[in-house]
Amino acid sequence: MEDLLMKKFAKLGVENAPGQEKLQKKKELDIRGEKIEGPTVDFSHGDVDAFEPLPGSKECFDAGVAAGGKQAYTEYRGGYDMRKDVAEKLSAFTGASIDPDKNIILTPGTQGALFLAIGSMAARGDKVAIVEPDYFANRKLAEFFECEIVPVPMDYFGVKDRAGIDLDRLEAVFQEGIRLFLFSNPNNPTGAVYSREEVLKIASLAKKYHVSLIVDELYSRQVFDGREYTHLCAQEEIPEEMVTIIGPSKTESLSGYRLGAAFGSEEVITRMEKLQAIVSLRAAGYCQAVFRCWFNEPEGFMEDRILAHQKIRDDLVEKFKSVPGMHVRPTEAGSYLFPQLPPMDVPIGDFTKILRQLAGVTVTPGTEFGPGFTDSFRINFSQDHEKALAAADRLIQVVERYRK
Amino acid sequence: MEDLLMKKFAKLGVENAPGQEKLQKKKELDIRGEKIEGPTVDFSHGDVDAFEPLPGSKECFDAGVAAGGKQAYTEYRGGYDMRKDVAEKLSAFTGASIDPDKNIILTPGTQGALFLAIGSMAARGDKVAIVEPDYFANRKLAEFFECEIVPVPMDYFGVKDRAGIDLDRLEAVFQEGIRLFLFSNPNNPTGAVYSREEVLKIASLAKKYHVSLIVDELYSRQVFDGREYTHLCAQEEIPEEMVTIIGPSKTESLSGYRLGAAFGSEEVITRMEKLQAIVSLRAAGYCQAVFRCWFNEPEGFMEDRILAHQKIRDDLVEKFKSVPGMHVRPTEAGSYLFPQLPPMDVPIGDFTKILRQLAGVTVTPGTEFGPGFTDSFRINFSQDHEKALAAADRLIQVVERYRK
């Protein structure tokens, strides 16, 4: 008997997910040469000791605790004062119109927002279009809700000044009846930013074919090189049901508080709150108070932080590009790089395990972002600059030991 | 066309859920007489200003923030140090054997634990047995996962020294093929405690018929009158798949940190972590540090807090019992009372709205706990003692205005 429960969970592996590497079963690996010494670096997520939480965040939290019961027990969609504050700031940032009573929900992290959004916009049997490559949880969520995944390729190496999503393919699959399309902008894992033309086309296609949209803008505050960034939510032509997801866990390093926000169509937000009521009730009440410091950074703080990340990117891209057969698209926004390896003697899953053992460097295998990315890996370079460069050197040494 | 998504959400109302009363649509109500003045009391949840968070909880949180990145990014099932600490304390409390590597997961509140447990132990089409009355989210979760709900009645007024679950009915439905049985002990909303015989029988029936079990022990630290409490998880005969859910949000007033824990079968905990990875990643990292103060209270603190609640219960029960036609079973554990009203001129949903308008008193309608409880309401009496009594007086005045 095929058991539906077991079938669903068989698809939900986490052992390759960031921070979960301890779960990996011991396996015979093709270990070549001696360990390469150096400080361990975990590129699977950002290092909040290297880039510390926003100034004032702890003080906001303390004020939340001091406020007592009314901060501990907020409405499920978040306390009104915080919703109003966040709605105003996100309206100013994106250009969208956000009514704090109708269009926004505060969630436990952007992961929480993504779960609620997908669960509120698609159900069993619905077709969900997903970009390849894109954030690994997108596929897992669609599978958990028993949706049918329809991949849309993104040629991130073949284009310039746009992300490279295949818009003809997107229209073709929309025509066939897609319920929901979700994508991250900037793209996770490549750091590519969708061009204005791409964003407008996605919006108008979604409207035309009545496709619901989720736009994950988690890293949209960290745009490099003065590049233009277009918020889909602020455009004239948008579909009836859409939400944008964003939060302070990345550039702002507030991940320890688990805060996220989703804003958009009133009906979707209402459903998301109904779902949050049975999933986790609310973002931790005291933590919600930390939203106060978001978009409220000291003058120059964000600019400095973005520049510091841009410099790490530059140095890493230079290193990786110097390796014969290795390719990388320089990050346009966010803290991810998604380098492609030269042909190797070992599969990508083994390579990442070997890399941890030999060099103390953790990266995320490309196959987490789409089944075809068997030659790529993702790194989050929000790290101590010097340690990140040293880790990249060790990574390159390991590549040399295993190249075909 | 019946749309599955819309059908699922139609069943997921939240407007009668605790703290969500602002969402109620304006409706013509049969308002009788003048407002009855007095300080507003929200009996839909406990008042953490009246019973403050555990001493030392904020200091634990501060230490978590000071620990930095390793506390912000824990494994999805929770940081090892906290899992070890909590596993030891829960082993000592319940008598169960809990391996911190295999048998425990830390979650965003016990609501988070309940969602993950149900989602990891039942799937579409499975039969789930649920006690009536019991915690309202149980039914909503089973419906969201498209399970078939099989009710099991509890005759909480008809028995003494046991909860009153219909064990014959339980065996009969188990025989018909139940995948999962879940129940809260102490029962929410009645505050009834399952007797040792009831617990042992449930455990052995579940084992005999291969039924998975979820036992919600959220309020199990607040037992009144020195009553015996039996932890099912510590018994010899238990089914292969079971988890126990508990957390520091109630008696300990730590709800603002959103912390819960589930412990039990290794396979279930593994699936719960896989699900948590796509639902919310983890309980807020800094908040996890607050578990340290749990089961670590100053000498006499818990005893005093339990006694203070017992006294509020005594005074409320006396008041309600003095009202002709009103019935209430005195709480045996926890902070809930579930009084039954005399025959009234208005339905229970209107009564709770009228009560808010006329008397500034919020209660939760009985129909949230099972469709048949049209004459009952739940209160959480973890409140300021004097205000709670005054609110009960006003509630009784409103009852008198509407009795048949």
Side-chain angles (χ1 to χ4, degrees), chain A residues 201-229:
Chain A
K201 186 71 181 176
I202 291 167
S204 69
L205 287 176
K207 187 177 164 77
K208 180 174 175 187
Y209 295 104
H210 306 286
V211 173
S212 303
L213 274 189
I214 300 172
V215 187
D216 175 354
E217 297 197 350
L218 182 50
Y219 253 129
S220 61
R221 295 189 75 195
Q222 187 173 305
V223 179
F224 299 139
D225 313 306
R227 183 174 298 269
E228 181 188 29
Y229 181 93

Side-chain angles (χ1 to χ4, degrees), chain A residues 221 297-310:
Chain A
R221 295 189 75 195
E297 298 84 10
E299 179 127 6
F301 177 89
M302 285 297 282
E303 291 78 1
D304 289 350
R305 181 158 283 198
I306 293 166
L307 202 61
H309 282 93
Q310 194 172 302

